[in-house]
Amino acid sequence: MIIHHPLLGPRDSAEFIYLGDASLMERPDPKAENAQELFYKYLYLRDNPAGEHKELWYHEQGDRSWLILTRNTVTHEITHVELARRSK
Amino acid sequence: MRYNALQILKQGLTGHKGWKPAWRKAEPKPEYDIIIVGGGGHGLATAYYLAKQFEQKRIAVVEKGWIGGGNVGRNTTIIRSNYMLHENEGFYEFSLKLWENQEQDFNYNSMVSQRGIINLFHSDPQRDAYVRRGNAMALNGADPVLLDQDALRKKCPFLNFDNARFPIQGGLWQPRGGTVRHDAVAWGYARGADKRGVDIIENCEVTGFLIDQGVCSGVETTRGTIKAKKIGVAVAGSSSRVMAMAGMRLPMESHVLQAFVSEGLKPVIPGVITYGAGHFYVSQSDKGGLVFGGDIDGYNSYAQRGNLPVVEDVCEGGVSLMPMIGKARVLRMWGGIMDMSMDGSPIIDKTHVNGLYFNGGWCYGGFKATPASGYCFAQLIATDAPHETAKAMRMDRFSRGLMIDEKGQGAQPNLH
Ligand SMILES: Cc1cc2nc3c(=O)[nH]c(=O)nc-3n(C[C@H](O)[C@H](O)[C@H](O)COP(=O)(O)OP(=O)(O)OC[C@H]3O[C@@H](n4cnc5c(N)ncnc54)[C@H](O)[C@@H]3O)c2cc1C
C-alpha cells in the first residue's frame, strides 16, 4: 500500500506503524461519573467495519507524524489522508 | 454408510459406484430448535456435538458460502495445548484429547498426526519463561518436554544454532502436538452432523436477527426468514459484522493472516517448529510442501489476501532460522480473516439477548480449538451452563477486569 503523506508525498506503508480506529483520539474524561464504563469501551470495544475505516498510522520511519487515513478495509483503497493534529 | 477397510474393498471391487455424498444439500425449513450461524470448523463441530452428545433435535447450520471455505480451510493446521494460563490450558488440553479420538468418533480420516511441536528459545530468560509454561501445562495434564541444545540438534540438525544475534539454545517440545488435515475436519463434522439429521444449508447468508424485547427468535437470511428457539453464532472473522446486526460492539478487530506452501520436498522437518525470535513457524505436509506462516499484516482487513511486506518478513524469518530453505520455491499463498480479540483469548458465552449465543475471538489459534469449541458451545446452547473448561471465556470479562491475557500485554488486537 502507498500512503500519500500530506507533507512527504507517496510513502510505502511499511514505513508506518498502525494503531487502530481513529476514535482512539477521543480519550474519555477520567473525571466523568461513569469513567470506568467509558474507559472499558474506549480500550476494548471497536466498530471494526467492513468498508470505510478512519484509522491512525504513525510514520515511525519518517517524520514521526501521526496520520488519519480513511481506508476501505475490503479493498485497501485509501481515499483521504490528513495529519492527526490538524483533524480537530 | 460407515467408512472402513471392508467398505473400500467392496467399493473397489464394484467400480466405486456405491459411494454416497458425505452430506445432503439441505433446503432451509421455516423453523428449527437451534440454528448455528457459520459453517466453519466451529459451527459444524457445534452442530455435531449438539446432535451426538447433547441429543438435540431439529438443528440447522447456516453458511453464507460453502462449508470449509473460511478459516477452517485456510489455516496452517497446527494443533497443540501449550498455553500457560489455567483458563486457556485446561480448554486446549480438552481439545487435544478430543483430537486424539476424533477420527474414531466421527468415522472420518482427518489425518490427525501427532508429530510434535517445538517452540524454540534463544536466551536464558526465554528458556525460563518456557520452563514456567511447561510447568503450567503439566499442571493441566499436558506433556511438556524441555529440550536442551544437544537434544534439539539430534532432532533438527538443520537449524541455524549459531546465529550470532539469536543463537538457538533449545526448545519446549510437546510431543502430542501436531497437524490435522483441515478440510477433512469440516467435512468429517459435517458428515457426522448430517447423519444425525442436522440440515447443513450452504449459500445462505444471515442478514439480520429477529429480536423483540430482548429475545431472539430467528434469523433473516438471503433465503428467507428462519425461526429458531436458540441461535448460536460462530462466524470467526465476520464476528463484528454479524453481531452488529444484533446491536452489539465486540472487543475485537478483524485482521488478515497469510499462509504459504512451498513446492514438495523430501521429508526433512520432523514436526512443527516455531521461531522464538522472529515471526515464523513451519511444518511439512505429507505431500512434502513446507507449510509456513508468520504474523498478521497488522491493520484491520476484511480482504482475504495479504500484502507483500509481511511476505518478506516471514521469508526473512524462515531463512534466518533454517538457511537451507532459502532455495525452496513458494507454490501458493493466501490469507484468512481472523477475529482478533483484545486479550488474545476467545469468547464462548451467552449474550444479553435471550436465545442468542456467541462463539468467537479465536485470533490465529482457533483451528486447534475446533473440537473443544464445538463441544463447549454445544453444551452451553443445550444446557445453558458453561463447560468446565470454558467458564472463563466470558463476554463480560473485559469490563470486569478478568482478561485472559497469556503474555500480560494489555489491550492489543494482535495476540495469538
Ligand atoms: C493463514 C491462517 C493460518 C492459521 N493457522 C492456524 C494454526 O496453525 N492452528 C490453529 O489452531 N489455528 C490457525 N488459524 C486460525 C483458525 O483457522 C481459525 O481460528 C478458525 O478456523 C476459526 O473458526 P472456524 O473454523 O469456525 O472459522 P471459519 O471457517 O472462517 O468459519 C466461519 C464461517 O462463517 C461464515 N459466515 C460469515 N458470515 C456469515 C453470515 N452472515 N451468515 C452465514 N455464514 C457466515 C463464513 O463464510 C465461514 O465459513 C489460522 C488462520 C489462518 C487464516
Side-chain angles (χ1 to χ4, degrees):
Chain A
M1 280 192 305
I2 301 291
I3 295 174
H4 288 269
H5 192 299
L7 303 176
L8 303 175
R11 308 301 310 180
D12 186 336
S13 66
E15 293 175 2
F16 292 78
I17 288 180
Y18 177 77
L19 182 68
D21 195 312
S23 66
L24 289 171
M25 298 269 291
E26 288 137 39
R27 229 176 137 77
D29 175 9
K31 294 201 200 88
E33 280 284 307
N34 56 344
Q36 191 170 337
E37 169 80 9
L38 295 177
F39 271 95
Y40 151 65
K41 289 186 174 154
Y42 173 80
L43 253 181
Y44 293 104
L45 302 189
R46 298 286 182 269
D47 287 341
N48 192 20
E52 204 161 90
H53 190 222
K54 281 190 143 199
E55 54 197 28
L56 286 161
W57 291 72
Y58 176 56
H59 199 193
E60 198 206 25
Q61 294 177 44
D63 70 345
R64 308 241 159 160
S65 57
W66 281 94
L67 303 184
I68 295 180
L69 267 64
T70 308
R71 184 180 59 98
N72 187 310
T73 59
V74 181
T75 62
H76 296 327
E77 188 189 2
I78 300 168
T79 46
H80 190 68
V81 185
E82 61 184 324
L83 289 171
R85 66 185 140 92
R86 292 262 170 79
S87 77
K88 290 255 163 99
Chain B
M1 179 194 285
R2 266 193 79 75
Y3 294 162
N4 53 35
L6 202 67
Q7 189 66 249
I8 294 175
L9 191 70
K10 190 177 143 205
Q11 296 296 338
L13 292 174
T14 53
H16 290 292
K17 292 205 179 98
W19 297 113
K20 300 251 157 42
W23 62 89
R24 295 164 292 132
K25 290 256 170 274
E27 294 295 317
K29 297 196 185 98
E31 197 177 344
Y32 291 91
D33 284 353
I34 302 172
I35 291 176
I36 303 300
V37 184
H42 293 214
L44 293 164
T46 305
Y48 173 79
Y49 291 114
L50 273 170
K52 177 164 191 254
Q53 206 67 37
F54 299 98
E55 297 176 351
Q56 301 296 303
K57 300 267 172 329
R58 308 208 309 145
I59 305 164
V61 176
V62 178
E63 163 58 48
K64 77 170 171 190
W66 64 95
I67 62 165
N71 290 345
V72 69
R74 291 167 183 269
N75 62 72
T76 40
T77 81
I78 299 163
I79 62 166
R80 59 188 172 90
S81 67
N82 55 5
Y83 284 73
M84 190 178 79
L85 297 181
H86 181 69
E87 292 85 342
N88 276 329
E89 181 57 15
F91 172 82
Y92 286 105
E93 180 54 23
F94 174 50
S95 201
L96 197 52
K97 292 212 172 76
L98 290 172
W99 284 116
E100 287 173 326
N101 192 40
Q102 184 188 58
E103 292 161 330
Q104 292 71 16
D105 188 62
F106 65 20
N107 180 232
Y108 200 87
N109 183 7
S110 51
M111 296 167 69
V112 178
S113 165
Q114 293 180 289
R115 52 186 73 184
I117 176 166
I118 303 173
N119 297 149
L120 302 176
F121 55 80
H122 308 263
S123 64
D124 292 351
Q126 202 175 16
R127 178 203 55 212
D128 294 348
Y130 278 165
V131 169
R132 184 173 173 220
R133 203 200 305 180
N135 287 336
M137 289 165 64
L139 283 176
N140 278 285
D143 54 327
V145 181
L146 196 73
L147 300 175
D148 62 12
Q149 207 198 50
D150 287 342
L152 187 61
R153 273 185 195 273
K154 287 206 189 80
K155 286 183 164 301
C156 308
F158 49 82
L159 293 174
N160 192 6
F161 285 93
D162 303 320
N163 182 318
R165 180 82 172 80
F166 302 113
I168 299 170
Q169 294 190 0
L172 179 65
W173 180 35
Q174 182 177 27
R176 285 164 62 241
T179 58
V180 182
R181 167 99 200 270
H182 50 5
D183 309 296
V185 173
W187 300 334
Y189 278 126
R191 174 171 169 269
D194 175 88
K195 204 172 103 184
R196 289 169 180 84
V198 173
D199 279 358
I200 295 167
I201 305 162
E202 294 173 287
N203 298 311
C204 183
E205 178 172 355
V206 168
T207 54
F209 295 96
L210 305 174
I211 298 176
D212 189 28
Q213 309 201 7
V215 181
C216 186
S217 60
V219 290
E220 300 284 3
T221 79
T222 47
R223 297 174 70 179
T225 305
I226 313 177
K227 306 266 267 174
K229 296 191 187 80
K230 293 181 173 181
I231 292 103
V233 176
V235 293
S238 303
S239 292
S240 296
R241 291 169 88 176
V242 171
M243 296 314 278
M245 298 190 274
M248 295 170 64
R249 280 175 90 215
L250 300 181
M252 236 169 258
E253 284 182 8
S254 294
H255 286 257
V256 66
L257 178 67
Q258 307 191 53
F260 310 82
V261 174
S262 79
E263 60 190 326
L265 304 166
K266 286 187 179 169
V268 56
I269 297 186
V272 182
I273 299 173
T274 76
Y275 195 7
H279 297 299
F280 178 78
Y281 62 90
V282 64
S283 67
Q284 190 169 15
S285 79
D286 292 337
K287 284 194 283 186
L290 303 178
V291 182
F292 59 98
D295 211 1
I296 51 176
D297 275 29
Y299 39 84
N300 290 42
S301 175
Y302 282 92
Q304 287 190 91
R305 60 190 150 70
N307 276 327
L308 290 171
V310 165
V311 179
E312 198 176 358
D313 182 63
V314 170
C315 293
E316 278 171 5
V319 173
S320 89
L321 180 66
M322 36 182 91
M324 67 168 184
I325 65 171
K327 285 191 181 145
R329 278 165 296 199
V330 173
L331 270 193
R332 290 182 283 129
M333 53 201 252
W334 63 89
I337 302 305
M338 240 87 33
D339 33 341
M340 303 298 296
S341 69
M342 285 292 181
D343 62 356
S345 297
I347 294 168
I348 302 178
D349 203 0
K350 302 177 198 179
T351 68
H352 67 276
V353 179
N354 270 332
L356 184 61
Y357 302 76
F358 177 73
N359 171 321
W362 293 100
C363 304
Y364 24 134
F367 178 67
K368 71 177 104 65
T370 307
S373 165
Y375 195 105
C376 296
F377 200 35
Q379 168 158 340
L380 180 73
I381 294 171
T383 67
D384 274 316
H387 187 268
E388 186 55 36
T389 64
K391 275 202 292 218
M393 295 171 179
R394 296 172 57 123
M395 203 127 186
D396 65 358
R397 67 175 184 265
F398 300 91
S399 62
R400 297 170 67 223
L402 299 172
M403 281 65 78
I404 314 173
D405 184 351
E406 282 282 329
K407 289 190 180 157
Q409 281 178 317
Q412 295 272 356
N414 62 354
L415 308 171
H416 297 237

